[in-house]
Amino acid sequence: MIKKLKVTTALTMALPAFVLSSAMALAGPAEVSGPGVNPECFAPWSADTKFLQWDAKPGPYRVAVVNGFVGNTWRIQMIKTAKAFAEDPSLKEKISDFKVVSTGTDAPAQLGAIEDFINQGYDAIVTIAVSPDGFDRVIRLADKSNVVIVPFDNVLDTDKVMQVNEDQLKMGRMWAEFAVNELKKKGVTSGKILEVRGLPGNSVDRDRSIGINEVLDASGGDWEVVQVVGNWDDGTTQKVVADAIAVHGEFVAVVGQGGSNGVVQALKDANHPWVPVAGESENGFRKAIAEYSDDGLKGISIGQSPGLVAIAMKAAVSALEGNVMPQLISVPLPVATYDQLEDGKNYWSDLPDNFFTVNEFPPCGVNISGPEIMSQTEEDVK
């Protein structure tokens, strides 16, 4: 049993215009047979993933990153990572113009920014979508202009564009499975579980929560799931977790989509007993697991890497070069549990707590160091 609480006018001119319009309508990627280029890096999501190919364009290319929300450390690190990767020798000579903008959580503002970059003649636009739908108009405009749009992280509910992501549904399931299994080791099969949601309206938040609750529903436990919204932000998460503890008392486990440092701090401040905690790949969260696991903080850290932006940028350039690409590219989930953590390997005691630890993708030749990332700013590049 699960109880859920949710905290001109001449004919001779008209004909050429019609022909041009018809030709433009046929623009965009062609659906082709696989395999695609560099499958070790650009891995198809599944055996059913289709393949796309754009007409090759001569480089170098004009590339823009259109972010939405920027109010948490993950998004800030993502922007810094994009800037650092644009300077990487493997990519720098292929890009003539690079811009970054953040438009906030307003979908029309993000769509307007994407349309503006298309109209300015940019070749590729990498984006974290504010909403999983509503992009049909800009996708059609991009296809007419032979512009490659690559959503990543918060992706779109469409197969009309190439997208890059980790399996969010699987991530949610793995978090919940870890929590349930750790509780079973303690003989706990009932109680309150705190679910910390992400940014409302995003496909990532939706899919992770679906995965979490699928597992809890199927576990046979008598769980009362209390949901709070942490926006994947440490400060916000700390507050809402503290409020939840004040209202609901003790929890047997916490499953959080992000803001994991905030989860730990709220538990400490409230003198809440250490319990199994599933969370993201923040460096501070991994530090805490390493320090307190013997005291009961049994944690799993699964990283949605800000470095996904680098894979999306690399995929966009590859598509512009005319390579065959999977429509949906799968990036493996980087997982570390409390018994797998090693300082200097999958967390760093000398790096800030809000640094996200996973930024290496060896099959793609992408390895962006912490200092390279941290030397950048989160400001727009206009």
Side-chain angles (χ1 to χ4, degrees), residues 255-290:
V255 182
Q257 294 196 19
S260 310
N261 297 327
V263 171
V264 171
Q265 192 60 51
L267 292 173
K268 290 176 69 174
D269 290 347
N271 293 317
H272 190 288
W274 290 125
V275 295
V277 177
E280 252 276 6
S281 65
E282 299 97 329
N283 194 47
F285 179 50
R286 292 189 174 190
K287 287 181 188 178
I289 297 170

Side-chain angles (χ1 to χ4, degrees), residues 275-347:
V275 295
V277 177
E280 252 276 6
S281 65
E282 299 97 329
N283 194 47
F285 179 50
R286 292 189 174 190
K287 287 181 188 178
I289 297 170
E291 182 176 356
Y292 298 114
S293 62
D294 289 344
D295 298 326
L297 181 58
K298 307 299 186 183
I300 185 172
S301 172
I302 308 179
Q304 176 80 342
S305 172
L308 282 175
V309 68
I311 307 303
M313 290 165 64
K314 190 178 181 75
V317 169
S318 180
L320 290 168
E321 293 173 333
N323 293 307
V324 174
M325 304 294 295
Q327 181 271 316
L328 184 55
I329 296 170
S330 174
V331 178
L333 292 171
V335 181
T337 54
Y338 61 92
D339 54 348
Q340 299 170 332
L341 291 173
E342 184 178 339
D343 194 2
K345 181 179 179 180
N346 49 19
Y347 79 97

Side-chain angles (χ1 to χ4, degrees), residues 72-74 171 175 178 194-199 208 212 228-242 245 253-269 274-290 292 297-304 334 336 341 352-357:
N72 60 39
T73 54
W74 193 97
M171 189 183 296
W175 278 329
F178 172 86
L194 182 61
E195 179 188 358
V196 185
R197 299 288 298 263
L199 192 66
R208 289 176 174 181
I212 290 166
V228 294
V229 177
N231 290 339
W232 302 316
D233 173 66
D234 284 340
T236 305
T237 296
Q238 182 176 340
K239 182 181 185 306
V240 298
V241 171
I245 294 171
V254 182
V255 182
Q257 294 196 19
S260 310
N261 297 327
V263 171
V264 171
Q265 192 60 51
L267 292 173
K268 290 176 69 174
D269 290 347
W274 290 125
V275 295
V277 177
E280 252 276 6
S281 65
E282 299 97 329
N283 194 47
F285 179 50
R286 292 189 174 190
K287 287 181 188 178
I289 297 170
Y292 298 114
L297 181 58
K298 307 299 186 183
I300 185 172
S301 172
I302 308 179
Q304 176 80 342
L341 291 173
D353 287 354
N354 60 8
F355 182 79
F356 284 82
T357 57

